[in-house]
Amino acid sequence: MKVSTPLTSGWTVSLDTARDHPGQAPDALFDAEIPATVPGCVHTDLLAAGLIPDPFLDSNETEVAWVGRADWSYRTHLDAAADTSGHERTDLVFDGLDTVAEIRLGGARLGATRNMHRSYRYDVTGMTGGGAGTLLEVGFTSAYQEAERVRDLLGPRPNAYPEPFNFVRKMASSFGWDWGPTLVTAGIWRPARLEHWSVARLAEVRPEVTVGAGGTGRVRLHIAVERTGSGAGRVLRAVVRVGDAEADVELAPGAATATVDVEVPDAGLWWPRGYGDQRLYDCALTLTDTASPDEPLDVWERRVGFRTVELDTSADAAGSGFTLVVNGVRTFVRGVNWIPDDALITRVDPARYRRRLTQAAAAGVDLVRVWGGGVYESESFYDICDELGLMVWQDFLFACAAYPEEEPLRSEVEAEARENVVRLMPHASLVLWNGNNENLWGFRDWDWEQRLAGASWGEGYYLDILPRVVAATDPTRPYWAGSPWSGSRDVHPNAPGNGTHHSWEVWNRLDYTAYRDDTPRFVAEFGWQAPPAYATLRRAVTDDPLTPGSPGVLHHQKAEDGNGKLARGLAPHFPAPAGFDAWHYLTQVNQVRAIATGVEHWRANWPHCAGVVLWQLNDCWPVTSWAAIDGDEREKPLYHELGRLYADRLLVLRPRDGRLVLSAVNQSASPWSCEARVRRLDVHGTVLAERTTPVDVPARAVTDIELPDTLTTPDDPRRELLVADADGLRAHYFAVPDRSFAYPPAEAVVKVTREDGAAQVTVTVTAHTLLRDLLLQADRLHPDARADRGLVTLLPGESVDITVSGWDGEAPEALRDALRSVNGSGAPVHFGDASG
């Protein structure tokens, strides 16, 4: 049986002084061997040794920039006792090296790498002996040096950012983004090990999982083996078991490949969350020598799920659609874009993946797009998506730049693509391969064509190499050339009426109400910024006083004119905020309002629009960004709003063709029948007009309900609002901006209760006046405190219970700073009682 020995101990890292290095390197690093963690990276090792400040705090990012410009060496000694373990062959395996590396064992050069996104294997049989162990060295050259060398070789290419990330196969966002720091890492970022084996091993297993007529599940495994000299003349046998079904195939002497089919009658299907169960089957392949059938040589094990995936891009009168069809069911995607969850990517472990993806599922998300400037995530990410029913849209790793198609990049790209397609294709959650992020659009609209002057820019990857790799390797899944992409060279790549669309004009230049002006076929990116939670910002920034424009706050705002866009977004709706706390609250409110405006409009236009993918779910450090969950894992108000916006059933009061309508959106598998109560109220809660109307919506459909003028035409829009209630859902409509609405001063009664032994408290707020967008900022009570809900609007006399964990309820007067509403443009709520 193959034996693996993890290489996790005894590592050190040192500054390679063969070249000149910037003067910022501390003296303690020269000629020093620093304890290193593998998997890990230089930044995390230096942090652990206390040799660099935390780059996430204040402006420390700039103080550690030298790390990415330096060369580094990792070293360990291989224990002689682990040399062969009685096997014929020993391989040294790296699942990931970041990025430009030379590997030496016992002074002998094994090879060199320049791709973070690939694995590497070296035959080291007989090389690991020696009484004191054999020295293993992995020397890393700065990714900057490699990128600049390739740029000089191939010529410059346009890039949305100043760093040369498009010339090296490394996580692009390491070089900084409009939400991320510039921290150019190096290190052994995925597991390293020795593998000892004899006769033969499984070199590749490629499962095609399909569902046939009558519901029969089929797994076709394409197998590749590698043999030792003694194994060349052996007959090998591969046995596959899927659930209770089994099949086998023999490999004749010298044969390196084989195919075997396993059929599972009446297979249970894997469904996206909200559509059905996530049935998964254990799939195991065992390789044996027929001369010793009871002694396995190698085993490959995964979980697979049976489902069909189609991408319907049929042409129609409006253009061409983009609808994911799973198991024959057309879906409206409720998605989020995923970026690396930490700028220092090796700190993201399975537990962190599970926290983040569980948060996504709890908010109603059913698809996660792994964005092309990050990484192909670790296996546990996709395992958890399989379990939770989160569909995965996987970008190939190209983003926001022109990429050369010549060597030395071309062969790296093809090998990287094939390896990762094979690695990820067992996962039922994976439903789409996407060629790139914004590069087809960039060529058309970002003045690339003239600057390129005929040079290659990546089109050959997206429209030739990548679709060929997917078709040959994973024919069970659709491929799409890019996001955005219209599906045709003859149609603008970001045309709203065709394919996928990125809606960034609104955030960059318009008021968020402009989301209603377009109805794309599929919105693959759109978003609106807000700062992180107060406790997150306060931990990361020591500015005193803390202001929207103070140095640390601005350093943690990476978007071009980001704070200017936040201010221009507030201006149509609110007066200028009176201080930092009001600014912080109102920008959070505006983020929620903007996203709600877009999602409500697009969901109400199903099936013409077949999905929205929010930019973005998560952050990689504490920053003002478009995220719903900030870099300290705190949920912003937007996160809680997603639970309403992405629920199966949604009630919306919206303008349509110059009139106000009530849209009932039903994405569930069952018809929705109930009654809606629609009221026109004055600011004091007095009913001015009322109507009860039936709501009858078929499964996975939308019904627009016309409303009479008596409801939709206010006598005084500055003092009236429209409220619709149905089946526990509520929609509001205010006819004028907040700055023009006559809000009364916010008044409420607040009560704090805690059951004996309970791990949380309940904060009950009873409104004396209309309270619009009431928010309890729990992290202002305690940095560890969390509230179970975000913004809520209360009519006079209504109450809401907010569950707060991580706070013991003591000092309830702290609620006076933690409770705010739009009344008074973000001022604290006035309340007369905060008793326990």
Side-chain angles (χ1 to χ4, degrees):
M1 183 72 173
K2 181 177 73 178
V3 175
S4 291
T5 305
L7 300 179
T8 56
S9 61
W11 288 95
T12 62
V13 64
S14 61
L15 181 64
D16 185 344
T17 56
R19 294 195 300 113
D20 291 335
H21 293 283
Q24 298 97 320
D27 292 341
L29 263 176
F30 289 91
D31 301 318
E33 297 281 337
I34 307 302
T37 298
V38 171
C41 75
V42 172
H43 286 80
T44 53
D45 292 331
L46 297 179
L47 274 169
L51 292 171
I52 59 172
D54 187 338
F56 287 8
L57 306 184
D58 291 317
S59 60
N60 292 344
E61 171 200 355
T62 58
E63 294 186 27
V64 303
W66 64 269
V67 176
R69 291 280 181 181
D71 296 347
W72 302 90
S73 290
Y74 280 77
R75 298 181 180 89
T76 191
H77 287 82
L78 302 185
D79 188 348
D83 183 17
T84 64
S85 303
H87 288 83
E88 298 175 83
R89 171 85 172 262
T90 298
D91 289 345
L92 173 62
V93 182
F94 295 100
D95 287 339
L97 295 172
D98 176 16
T99 292
V100 185
E102 182 179 83
I103 301 94
R104 304 181 70 87
L105 182 61
R109 184 180 186 274
L110 298 180
T113 75
R114 52 171 165 248
N115 192 329
M116 179 182 184
H117 310 303
R118 296 179 60 189
S119 62
Y120 300 92
R121 177 181 295 267
Y122 304 98
D123 182 354
V124 296
T125 306
M127 297 178 65
T128 58
T134 306
L135 178 64
L136 172 62
E137 299 175 275
V138 184
F140 290 94
T141 299
S142 167
Y144 277 110
Q145 184 184 11
E146 171 69 4
E148 290 161 358
R149 181 187 74 83
V150 174
R151 182 181 61 194
D152 292 344
L153 177 68
L154 302 180
R157 298 296 196 280
N159 186 336
Y161 298 96
E163 304 278 347
F165 64 80
N166 46 331
F167 294 94
V168 63
R169 297 307 299 157
K170 175 176 172 56
M171 183 172 90
S173 59
S174 291
F175 292 86
W177 222 261
D178 57 3
W179 37 256
T182 301
L183 295 171
V184 179
T185 52
I188 304 171
W189 80 287
R190 279 184 165 157
R193 62 188 176 279
L194 292 174
E195 286 190 356
H196 313 288
W197 56 281
S198 300
V199 182
R201 72 175 185 91
L202 293 166
E204 180 179 285
V205 181
R206 183 166 58 86
E208 295 178 20
V209 183
T210 56
V211 182
T216 298
R218 186 183 190 190
V219 180
R220 168 167 288 181
L221 283 99
H222 301 270
I223 303 163
V225 300
E226 182 181 10
R227 299 172 184 256
T228 63
S230 73
R234 308 278 187 101
V235 177
L236 305 177
R237 183 168 180 256
V239 179
V240 182
R241 177 176 290 276
V242 181
D244 295 328
E246 185 177 298
D248 66 273
V249 65
E250 286 193 352
L251 288 81
T257 61
T259 301
V260 60
D261 292 316
V262 184
E263 291 190 346
V264 179
D266 300 318
L269 296 181
W270 182 95
W271 288 93
R273 63 163 301 282
Y275 290 82
D277 295 331
Q278 289 77 51
R279 179 66 188 275
L280 297 169
Y281 289 80
D282 291 327
C283 177
L285 168 62
T286 304
L287 181 69
T288 62
D289 178 352
T290 56
S292 305
D294 296 328
E295 299 178 11
L297 300 172
D298 202 354
V299 173
W300 176 93
E301 296 177 304
R302 298 290 188 276
R303 290 183 303 174
V304 299
F306 296 103
R307 85 286 179 275
T308 63
V309 180
E310 301 168 86
L311 181 60
D312 184 358
T313 58
S314 301
D316 55 27
S320 57
F322 189 92
T323 303
L324 277 170
V325 184
V326 182
N327 298 328
V329 176
R330 302 174 69 81
T331 67
F332 182 96
V333 165
R334 291 160 277 181
V336 288
N337 281 275
W338 172 275
I339 66 170
D341 206 50
D342 196 313
L344 303 179
I345 190 69
T346 58
R347 299 197 292 202
V348 183
D349 59 10
R352 186 157 164 180
Y353 279 136
R354 188 169 293 278
R355 289 196 302 274
R356 200 66 65 253
L357 293 169
T358 299
Q359 285 174 304
V365 170
D366 61 18
L367 179 142
V368 178
R369 177 193 171 203
V370 181
W371 168 77
V375 296
Y376 306 99
E377 297 289 345
S378 298
E379 206 70 32
S380 56
F381 173 92
Y382 304 92
D383 285 338
I384 295 164
C385 289
D386 290 342
E387 296 170 14
L388 296 177
L390 293 171
M391 295 181 284
V392 175
W393 159 331
Q394 177 68 56
D395 278 14
F396 288 101
L397 301 184
F398 305 89
C400 300
Y403 285 78
E405 297 175 39
E406 296 82 12
E407 298 296 353
L409 292 175
R410 187 180 185 88
S411 58
E412 286 288 349
V413 164
E414 187 161 2
E416 166 197 316
R418 192 183 188 285
E419 176 177 335
N420 283 284
V421 169
V422 171
R423 178 172 75 89
L424 300 181
M425 61 188 288
H427 292 282
S429 55
L430 180 58
V431 297
L432 181 71
W433 295 105
N434 179 61
N436 74 89
N437 177 76
E438 298 191 343
N439 295 344
L440 293 160
W441 181 22
F443 180 77
R444 177 70 69 91
D445 279 0
W446 300 350
D447 299 323
W448 288 5
E449 188 168 5
Q450 182 176 1
R451 294 159 63 191
L452 284 164
S456 64
W457 56 275
E459 183 182 40
Y461 296 146
Y462 319 135
L463 299 179
D464 180 19
I465 290 178
L466 296 177
R468 285 196 286 107
V469 167
V470 172
T473 310
D474 185 16
T476 68
R477 289 181 179 87
Y479 170 84
W480 192 246
S483 186
W485 177 235
S486 63
S488 170
R489 287 186 175 96
D490 298 327
V491 179
H492 190 282
N494 200 30
N498 300 74
T500 53
H501 178 71
H502 287 194
S503 179
W504 285 116
E505 187 72 7
V506 176
W507 156 251
N508 284 317
R509 294 175 180 84
L510 304 172
D511 182 48
Y512 62 70
T513 56
Y515 282 130
R516 300 190 186 111
D517 296 341
D518 286 314
T519 309
R521 309 311 295 269
F522 190 102
V523 184
E525 281 188 22
F526 83 110
W528 201 272
Q529 274 201 347
Y534 179 80
T536 298
L537 198 56
R538 188 72 280 182
R539 184 188 73 83
V541 174
T542 57
D543 295 350
D544 187 16
L546 195 66
T547 71
S550 59
V553 174
L554 287 180
H555 187 82
H556 289 77
Q557 163 62 281
K558 294 294 187 179
E560 182 180 359
D561 192 29
N563 273 19
K565 292 172 184 175
L566 287 173
R568 289 191 292 275
L570 288 175
H573 302 277
F574 302 104
F580 176 83
D581 290 344
W583 174 86
H584 183 267
Y585 162 80
L586 290 174
T587 50
Q588 300 269 0
V589 169
N590 234 32
Q591 182 183 42
V592 169
R593 300 263 194 92
I595 299 309
T597 299
V599 174
E600 288 176 343
H601 172 65
W602 296 320
R603 284 198 68 181
N605 279 281
W606 159 263
H608 176 90
C609 179
V612 294
V613 187
L614 171 74
W615 187 272
Q616 63 215 63
L617 173 69
N618 56 326
D619 267 330
C620 64
W621 76 313
V623 64
T624 296
S625 84
W626 300 265
I629 302 168
D630 75 20
D632 281 3
E633 304 191 53
R634 293 187 174 91
E635 298 158 345
K636 291 157 74 168
L638 173 59
Y639 171 82
H640 297 283
E641 181 71 358
L642 286 181
R644 180 184 75 86
L645 295 172
Y646 280 179
D648 279 350
R649 291 173 177 170
L650 176 67
L651 208 60
V652 182
L653 285 164
R654 66 185 184 101
R656 191 203 66 184
D657 300 329
R659 291 187 56 81
L660 202 63
V661 299
L662 177 64
S663 294
V665 181
N666 179 25
Q667 202 61 35
S668 74
S670 302
W672 183 16
S673 295
C674 64
E675 286 193 339
R677 182 189 182 199
V678 186
R679 293 172 288 166
R680 179 161 60 90
L681 306 172
D682 69 14
V683 72
H684 303 296
T686 303
V687 177
L688 305 176
E690 181 174 356
R691 180 174 179 177
T692 300
T693 184
V695 175
D696 290 298
V697 193
R700 312 205 191 285
V702 178
T703 296
D704 284 344
I705 301 168
E706 300 290 340
L707 300 174
D709 290 345
T710 54
L711 284 174
T712 61
T713 305
D715 297 324
D716 184 352
R718 295 183 66 256
R719 291 177 170 79
E720 297 177 24
L721 65 152
L722 200 63
V723 179
D725 294 284
D727 249 2
L729 304 180
R730 173 172 282 183
H732 302 93
Y733 185 80
F734 291 75
V736 298
D738 297 79
R739 63 183 306 147
S740 300
F741 195 83
Y743 290 108
E747 296 182 1
V749 170
V750 179
K751 184 177 182 182
V752 180
T753 57
R754 181 176 182 179
E755 301 294 332
D756 290 341
Q760 66 246 353
V761 301
T762 299
V763 177
T764 302
V765 180
T766 301
H768 279 184
T769 62
L770 170 69
L771 295 180
R772 189 173 186 192
D773 288 331
L774 174 75
L775 177 66
L776 172 55
Q777 296 173 303
D779 60 294
R780 287 178 178 264
L781 302 174
H782 188 281
D784 295 334
R786 298 288 193 275
D788 69 341
R789 65 189 309 150
L791 302 177
V792 58
T793 293
L794 298 177
L795 302 178
E798 292 183 334
S799 297
V800 63
D801 289 335
I802 305 170
T803 300
V804 180
S805 59
W807 179 55
D808 57 13
E810 295 186 6
E813 61 275 7
L815 285 166
R816 298 187 186 278
D817 288 328
L819 275 169
R820 293 178 181 269
S821 77
V822 163
N823 306 47
S825 296
V829 174
H830 298 284
F831 53 86
D833 187 13
S835 60

